[in-house]
Amino acid sequence: MSHPGRIVALQAVIGLVCIGAFSAFHLDQGRSALLAALSTLLPTAYYAWVLGRTLNAARLLVHGVLRSVLTMTALALCIVLTAIEPLGFFSTFALMQLSFLAPRKAK
């Protein structure tokens, strides 16, 4: 599996664990964790898909910025349009962002 694919898979696992853990704590926390997981995972999955399709540095840069903009827009919409629980939402978001620190496999 490619490195971007591993990051998406790792984010999905982290998101599911957070959703489960926060749902056990309180259902509204779990819903907030779900919103954070989707807000993070969908733009990252899109970017990983683009990485597998192009080698053009300019396009990759544009799509990297687009991933960040989509993530921040999704987070802002969740905050504005829904009643999130901050603990579940921001903890899940922060933990999922740590997946970008996953080491690459040596060739």
Side-chain angles (χ1 to χ4, degrees), residues 2-68:
S2 67
H3 186 64
R6 288 182 342 130
I7 289 176
V8 171
L10 183 57
Q11 278 191 344
V13 168
I14 292 170
L16 287 172
V17 168
C18 287
I19 292 166
F22 283 114
S23 292
F25 177 67
H26 192 275
L27 200 55
D28 286 339
Q29 294 283 356
R31 183 183 57 83
S32 294
L34 173 65
L35 290 172
L38 290 175
S39 297
T40 304
L41 189 60
L42 295 177
T44 303
Y46 164 74
Y47 185 61
W49 177 76
V50 168
L51 281 175
R53 304 279 183 264
T54 186
L55 294 175
N56 184 333
R59 288 189 81 205
L60 291 176
L61 180 62
V62 168
H63 285 286
V65 170
L66 181 60
R67 181 194 65 82
S68 297

Side-chain angles (χ1 to χ4, degrees), residues 22 25 29 85-92:
F22 283 114
F25 177 67
Q29 294 283 356
E85 293 291 330
L87 179 65
F89 189 80
F90 292 112
S91 297
T92 301

